[in-house]
Amino acid sequence: MKIGHAEVEYVAKLANLAITEEEKRRFIDQLNSILEYVEQLNSLNTDNVEPTAQVVYASEQDLGMRQDEPRVTFSQEESLSNGPATGAGYFKVPKVIEER
Amino acid sequence: MEAKNLTVARIKSLIERGEASAVEICQAYLQNLERLNPTIKAYLHTSPERALELAARIDRLKREGTPLPSLAALPMAIKDNILIKGLRSTCGSKILENFVALYNATVIEKLEAAGAVFLGKANLDEFAMGSSTENSAFFATRNPHALDYVPGGSSGGSAAAVASQMAVAALGSDTGGSIRQPASFCGVVGLKPTYSRVSRYGLVAFGSSLDQIGPIAATVKDTAQILRVIAGKDPHDATSLAVAVPDYLEGIEKPVKDLKIGLPREYFRAGLSEVVKNKIQAGLRLLETLGCQMVEIELPHTDYAIATYYVIAMAEASSNLARFDGVRYGLRVRGYSNLSGMYRETRDAGFGAEVKRRIVLGTFVLSSGYYDAYYLKAQKVRTLIKQDFEKAFEKVDVIISPTSPTPPFRIGEKSNDPLAMYLSDIFTITANLVGIPGISVPCGTTPEGLPVGMQILGKHFDEPRLLHLAHIFEQAGGFTL
């Protein structure tokens, strides 16, 4: 078993996910079977292999950096229009600073 | 005019000859939609007013005597992870149920300028994660050929809309087969372009090194014409490349003789369903009679592709989905006590099981102590898989395989076994890992009438050859309108 109760809780915390006890139980089984499957990668020797992060670019290719110029994209009103809680031109969030 | 089996060319000629107006064509497809969508559930939501407005613009051009643009009055379904300004873009997720797009994706700008008409937004697996469209938070889409079967996924709504005459064409997105596999399951054509060929600006990101937008249509020619419109460099997407966009229809009718077709030994063995194997072999015999030469090739790292793909795709997904936090857009639940509680409860309520599973696993493989063992390892194996294809393409022009190892499966059949669902992506994920283009073209049906698709893979930017071969195959096999 690669992942147990503690690992799922730790990773869920890193990912800002609250998961229920029932989900946790189900995930532990499913995640372990997926990870067990992934283990087969370890049978390959990759000592002298470079990792690939992006596929189609040769280093000499110019990806065309644009000029760093300010421009108007969205108005404040538009930017706030999908916010679940807004007011006075801001997004509202729960209080972050603790009272002493 | 009957709103059935129309194509880009037929629509244009109907309007040019005055046999139907753009508005009439649009209305006819909206009627199909109203009649069939309650059963097939291809669309999540529709935009008839906007569609009719766009169609009226085409009729104005006709009245003024202005030449019609290339996709004039083409009724399209757009996967709901591609933004259309002013319309909701839910990504099939509760977390974005009420999200309204503030801008058009670049592909939408380009299609609109080319005269296309958007009827609505098509269903998908939540955030494009899945192979059956059962993971949509709203409802599952049904396969128009057999209602108890899945349409494939994640672009299942897009493919089902085209297959059931609720649209003439559609856009999907493909991270591991999400255009090609539903096209195969629904008996239509689907193309995943070369990575960087089509701008991803306005596509909600899932796996940023894998995602591509592409067309789904009933014919290869329509697919080619849509690709020509949406392809090209976009200043809004730094990963799009300034490679010239050819006329994909040029020379498409020429014979295909002397083409070398690679058949990966690893793809035609156990695990491939007999009925799919038989259909593909019949297709290959047809290609031989057309003058193609079959060459057996090796892709030795095939067995590692699914593991590599899922580590990379889940890692990228866990990063991309961190932005959904209940602050700037999307859902926010009530009843939290502090900021981190708000994040956690919102994401718990907003994401479905498959999305959470991938976020948890993706976060795990990127976490301290596991990064080298999983993520870096997968990136290295990705290099080996890429080299397999580079070597193969030294010997052959294209590679052919089934699109999916099985015909469409029943709704519910695989939904409790994520690994079994992942394994069915074996033939499609490598194109995303390697960045090469792939097309799925119809290749007949099973005795039960379920569609089977053939996949053609090519070198980077070799879409002209894929479209050419697919067109000749669909015509010779009678697999088209």
Side-chain angles (χ1 to χ4, degrees):
Chain A
M1 289 268 280
K2 284 277 160 191
I3 292 192
H5 215 78
E7 284 81 8
V8 170
E9 266 176 19
Y10 171 67
V11 171
K13 196 174 160 218
L14 286 179
N16 272 320
L17 268 180
I19 51 179
T20 62
E21 284 303 313
E22 201 252 308
E23 271 179 331
K24 232 175 271 173
R25 267 196 306 278
R26 198 154 25 100
F27 277 10
I28 288 170
D29 286 345
Q30 289 171 340
L31 295 178
N32 279 304
S33 76
I34 295 167
L35 283 176
E36 202 178 296
Y37 180 78
V38 168
E39 287 299 310
Q40 59 177 307
L41 295 183
N42 291 326
S43 65
L44 283 174
N45 183 337
T46 52
D47 289 348
N48 298 310
V49 180
E50 288 293 318
T52 294
Q54 287 286 354
V55 272
V56 287
Y57 314 115
S59 51
E60 67 274 12
Q61 252 162 349
D62 177 13
L63 289 180
M65 301 290 266
R66 62 172 168 79
Q67 293 299 308
D68 187 15
E69 287 164 347
R71 63 202 154 86
V72 176
T73 47
F74 304 112
S75 68
Q76 187 181 36
E77 196 188 332
E78 283 173 318
S79 302
L80 292 167
S81 62
N82 275 301
T86 58
Y90 293 97
F91 293 110
K92 288 186 189 170
V93 294
K95 191 157 67 180
V96 181
I97 300 164
E98 306 257 324
E99 284 174 48
R100 296 169 74 90
Chain B
M1 190 257 326
E2 199 191 358
K4 206 181 162 193
N5 296 343
L6 292 187
T7 62
V8 169
R10 284 179 208 169
I11 289 170
K12 218 170 157 184
S13 107
L14 282 173
I15 299 173
E16 275 168 352
R17 289 200 250 139
E19 290 169 27
S21 71
V23 166
E24 281 165 357
I25 291 166
C26 181
Q27 276 167 338
Y29 276 89
L30 286 169
Q31 277 163 17
N32 288 357
L33 198 162
E34 225 168 275
R35 186 162 48 87
L36 296 168
N37 201 49
T39 314
I40 294 169
K41 298 181 173 175
Y43 286 91
L44 281 169
H45 48 103
T46 56
S47 47
E49 300 84 14
R50 191 196 160 97
L52 290 166
E53 230 170 82
L54 289 170
R57 200 183 298 175
I58 301 297
D59 287 331
R60 257 197 312 279
L61 293 178
K62 166 76 170 40
R63 276 198 303 278
E64 290 162 1
T66 313
L68 297 181
S70 64
L71 304 179
L74 180 70
M76 290 188 79
I78 305 295
K79 189 176 184 180
D80 204 23
N81 59 351
I82 298 170
L83 306 186
I84 300 182
K85 189 177 178 177
L87 298 188
R88 284 194 297 139
S89 204
T90 70
C91 292
S93 180
K94 290 277 182 207
I95 212 161
L96 286 178
E97 191 166 3
N98 299 309
F99 174 75
V100 177
L102 291 177
Y103 64 94
N104 278 331
T106 298
V107 289
I108 296 298
E109 290 281 324
K110 289 182 164 190
L111 287 172
E112 212 171 283
V117 167
F118 313 120
L119 304 183
K121 305 295 292 288
N123 199 13
L124 67 160
D125 288 297
E126 185 175 358
F127 286 106
M129 297 177 188
S131 318
S132 69
T133 315
E134 292 167 293
N135 289 336
S136 166
F138 303 106
F139 43 76
T141 298
R142 291 168 181 274
N143 191 316
H145 295 271
L147 295 175
D148 293 339
Y149 288 78
V150 302
S154 65
S155 313
S158 299
V162 174
S164 59
Q165 314 284 340
M166 287 195 273
V168 176
L171 285 185
S173 67
D174 190 313
T175 306
S178 280
I179 288 173
R180 291 160 285 158
Q181 185 254 22
S184 158
F185 279 17
C186 291
V188 294
V189 181
L191 172 76
K192 181 203 92 78
T194 304
Y195 184 81
S196 80
R197 176 75 290 187
V198 174
S199 167
R200 293 180 291 119
Y201 182 68
L203 168 69
V204 178
F206 159 15
S208 302
S209 79
L210 307 159
D211 296 339
Q212 269 291 287
I213 295 172
I216 294 175
T219 69
V220 175
K221 274 189 172 176
D222 281 5
T223 307
Q225 290 184 90
I226 295 165
L227 178 65
R228 191 180 188 195
V229 169
I230 62 175
K233 173 75 184 165
D234 174 16
H236 289 304
D237 177 1
T239 64
S240 65
L241 287 183
V243 175
V245 180
D247 177 356
Y248 296 107
L249 291 186
E250 199 191 305
I252 203 165
E253 305 288 357
K254 282 188 198 155
V256 289
K257 58 175 191 291
D258 299 334
L259 206 63
K260 279 198 188 128
I261 292 175
L263 305 175
R265 183 182 304 167
E266 295 81 2
Y267 285 14
F268 287 89
R269 58 181 183 200
L272 179 59
S273 94
E274 274 305 308
V275 60
V276 170
K277 195 177 183 177
N278 292 340
K279 286 287 155 191
I280 298 298
Q281 278 170 345
L284 293 171
R285 281 195 296 276
L286 175 62
L287 287 172
E288 268 177 328
T289 66
L290 297 171
C292 296
Q293 188 194 333
M294 302 298 154
V295 182
E296 192 178 75
I297 56 164
E298 286 179 347
L299 297 171
H301 295 93
T302 295
D303 281 346
Y304 305 96
I306 287 176
T308 304
Y309 173 79
Y310 276 95
V311 169
I312 289 170
M314 289 183 188
E316 293 186 6
S318 78
S319 303
N320 275 322
L321 270 58
R323 73 191 64 180
F324 300 103
D325 57 6
V327 175
R328 290 155 301 154
Y329 37 68
L331 180 76
R332 179 190 295 188
V333 296
R334 293 164 195 276
Y336 44 82
S337 54
N338 56 24
L339 184 68
S340 77
M342 184 199 84
Y343 292 152
R344 299 178 55 173
E345 297 301 328
T346 294
R347 288 160 65 81
D348 178 51
F351 291 138
E354 179 63 26
V355 174
K356 285 187 204 170
R357 192 155 40 234
R358 294 195 192 199
I359 290 174
V360 168
L361 204 67
T363 306
F364 177 76
V365 299
L366 290 174
S367 65
S368 171
Y370 296 101
Y371 180 93
D372 285 1
Y374 291 106
Y375 185 64
L376 189 63
K377 184 78 185 182
Q379 284 191 310
K380 288 181 172 182
V381 181
R382 187 176 189 179
T383 304
L384 297 175
I385 293 167
K386 197 174 157 214
Q387 289 167 350
D388 280 358
F389 277 84
E390 283 162 2
K391 275 182 211 140
F393 281 127
E394 284 169 13
K395 282 192 258 173
V396 297
D397 300 304
V398 298
I399 294 172
I400 286 186
S401 76
T403 306
S404 163
T406 67
F409 44 90
R410 281 178 189 277
I411 291 173
E413 191 178 324
K414 293 188 185 179
S415 47
N416 289 320
D417 188 352
L419 189 56
M421 192 78 94
Y422 302 165
L423 295 177
S424 67
D425 297 339
I426 177 68
F427 300 136
T428 47
I429 48 173
T430 45
N432 304 77
L433 287 170
V434 181
I436 55 175
I439 191 168
S440 178
V441 60
C443 187
T445 54
T446 68
E448 299 82 38
L450 297 167
V452 172
M454 172 188 271
Q455 175 179 249
I456 311 170
L457 299 172
K459 298 169 202 173
H460 290 138
F461 295 101
D462 211 9
E463 283 89 350
R465 202 192 303 263
L466 296 194
L467 290 161
H468 178 204
L469 181 59
H471 172 72
I472 297 296
F473 178 73
E474 118 194 307
Q475 297 297 316
F479 302 129
T480 188
L481 301 177

